[in-house]
Amino acid sequence: MLYLDHAATSPVRPEVLEAMRPYLTDVFGNPSSHHGAGHAAAEALEQARSRVAAALGMRRGDVVFTSGGTEANNLAVKGIVLGGSRRHLVTTTIEHESILASADHLRRFHGAEVTVLPVDGCGRVDPRDLAAAIREDTALISIGHANNEVGTVQDAAALVAVARERGVPFHLDAVQSAGWLPLAGLGADAVSIAGHKLGAPKGTGALAVRSRIPVEPVLHGGGQERGRRSGTENVAGAVALATALDLAEAERAEAAARVGAAARAFIAGVLAQVPCAALTGAPQDSDTADPDAVGAAGRLPNVASFTFAGTSGEAVLLELERRGVLSSSGSACAAGSDEPSPVLLALGIRPEVAQTAVRFTFGRTHLPPDAPERLARLVAEAVTAVGAFSGR
């Protein structure tokens, strides 16, 4: 079985499991407890916080551990807007639902105004559009670094520069880009990550937000995480997240080059063998060739998303699974919806074509040399099996 749905989730890495094991067994204390067991847990928590902060280019005290990317995005959007007096938010049409739903919550219950920026046919935001959208009462700009459906990478450095010139905090949703692209040099004021995209367990994540920015808590209670996120901290999860992020950062250049080469070969094979296939997002030759090119726009090296006009995306997925390939139709958070992807519609793709989309996302594991060619052939077989070449 070939698993090509790493944008949805990745398996826990053995090194991560071993790193977190002591904090599930022997070192089990509550980090808020004032005794030896609590102090040991608190020390591990702060060490993990320092490691995450270093990878994100933040200070240790900026890092808030969360239950994942969704909570981190909710805390960023709601917390930063409600932490100040301004009530205007800028985001884009292709953001993760956790961003868009948080923005809608602010609009409906807190009187906020939301400006949703368009993107071009590749999924990129024009910095000039962002500059034009900023107002005197803009409280926050929230934009994803890399789109989870089509893999398009924003020129984050340019967007952050626009925000900084106008004195507006910038939140970068880096859930998909963490471990694949550098984050430390982008200058964002807040950054969200999720552990299960990196090889840590589900239910782990973090929001790093600069201490000068007021944040209203979304979860209230005992005042943990410096009052920004109440609840007994998941020490094992924090250690796991820090370990997975460290490993991904250490391997980033090699993994991006190796996986990017495999993905490019796979994309070329699909486009050559499937006449109705169209790659979505940025062009196949625009993946980030230099993984340390801070802010460089392009596409993630591990994402390949296609539409197969004249087919059913769900039918293609079933045919692929019969052939031992696991992929998806887009965001796992929208699985089961009968509506075409809002991301693909925002790129200008017609609804009937958007419903034929299939996304393939590679992990960091080594694939056999013949894997891209074999995968392309299996895709061609699956599309043929559902009648893509019947002339419809």
Side-chain angles (χ1 to χ4, degrees):
M1 187 69 70
L2 286 169
Y3 180 78
L4 293 179
D5 199 18
H6 287 267
T9 196
S10 290
V12 176
R13 295 184 60 155
E15 308 97 317
V16 172
L17 187 59
E18 287 305 309
M20 68 184 295
R21 190 185 303 277
Y23 305 97
L24 295 170
T25 53
D26 299 332
V27 190
F28 57 85
N30 186 321
S32 297
S33 295
H34 296 290
H35 49 56
H39 293 159
E43 182 179 356
L45 185 68
E46 292 312 305
Q47 288 177 354
R49 198 185 308 277
S50 294
R51 293 159 65 188
V52 171
L56 302 183
M58 298 286 204
R59 296 179 178 177
R60 183 180 70 178
D62 297 339
V63 174
V64 182
F65 288 112
T66 69
S67 64
T70 288
E71 186 191 339
N73 284 342
N74 271 259
L75 180 58
V77 173
K78 297 175 186 174
I80 294 174
V81 172
L82 296 178
S85 59
R86 295 180 289 180
R87 289 292 182 269
H88 176 239
L89 170 71
V90 180
T91 187
T92 85
T93 56
I94 63 168
E95 298 308 310
H96 188 269
E97 191 62 23
S98 59
I99 298 292
L100 296 176
S102 293
D104 188 58
H105 173 88
L106 291 172
R107 181 186 61 79
R108 290 186 295 124
F109 296 104
H110 298 280
E113 293 185 62
V114 182
T115 297
V116 182
L117 298 176
V119 294
D120 65 17
C122 293
R124 297 192 185 103
V125 178
D126 190 327
R128 293 170 297 184
D129 289 341
L130 174 59
I134 296 174
R135 309 183 332 195
E136 289 296 322
D137 62 340
T138 301
L140 179 69
I141 298 161
S142 180
I143 296 178
H145 193 193
N147 184 262
N148 68 320
E149 291 190 39
V150 299
T152 296
V153 177
Q154 302 296 341
D155 188 346
L159 298 172
V160 169
V162 171
R164 180 167 294 176
E165 183 180 355
R166 300 288 292 275
V168 178
F170 190 102
H171 166 240
L172 189 72
D173 177 1
V175 167
Q176 289 297 335
S177 61
W180 291 109
L181 300 175
L183 302 176
L186 296 175
D189 300 293
V191 181
S192 301
I193 61 172
H196 73 111
K197 314 292 188 179
L198 296 162
K202 302 170 190 67
T204 61
L207 172 68
V209 55
R210 299 192 191 279
S211 56
R212 61 179 170 77
I213 298 176
V215 177
E216 175 67 24
V218 174
L219 297 177
H220 299 87
Q224 289 88 346
E225 295 296 284
R226 295 167 173 80
R228 293 174 295 181
R229 197 267 189 185
S230 291
T232 301
E233 294 97 339
N234 177 1
V235 178
V239 171
L241 174 63
T243 303
L245 187 56
D246 282 346
L247 290 168
E249 282 292 298
E251 302 164 355
R252 175 158 48 82
E254 182 278 331
R258 172 173 47 82
V259 175
R264 286 192 299 273
F266 169 64
I267 290 169
V270 171
L271 295 177
Q273 296 180 53
V274 186
C276 66
L279 184 69
T280 62
Q284 63 173 324
D285 58 355
S286 65
D287 63 323
T288 310
D290 178 2
D292 289 320
V294 175
R299 64 182 301 121
L300 284 176
N302 67 319
V303 177
S305 176
F306 303 91
T307 57
F308 300 107
T311 72
S312 159
E314 291 297 326
V316 172
L317 287 175
L318 291 173
E319 288 294 333
L320 284 168
E321 186 165 0
R322 292 190 185 101
R323 290 162 172 79
V325 179
L326 300 179
S327 53
S328 69
S329 57
S331 173
C333 295
S337 173
D338 292 331
E339 297 300 316
S341 162
V343 170
L344 298 184
L345 296 182
L347 269 59
I349 298 173
R350 300 193 312 275
E352 66 273 18
V353 176
Q355 288 183 313
T356 72
V358 178
R359 180 189 69 178
F360 304 88
T361 49
F362 295 75
R364 293 170 176 80
T365 52
H366 287 262
L367 293 170
D370 67 337
E373 179 183 353
R374 181 157 51 96
L375 283 167
R377 185 175 67 252
L378 292 171
V379 171
E381 292 175 2
V383 173
T384 301
V386 297
F389 307 143
S390 66
R392 288 183 298 161

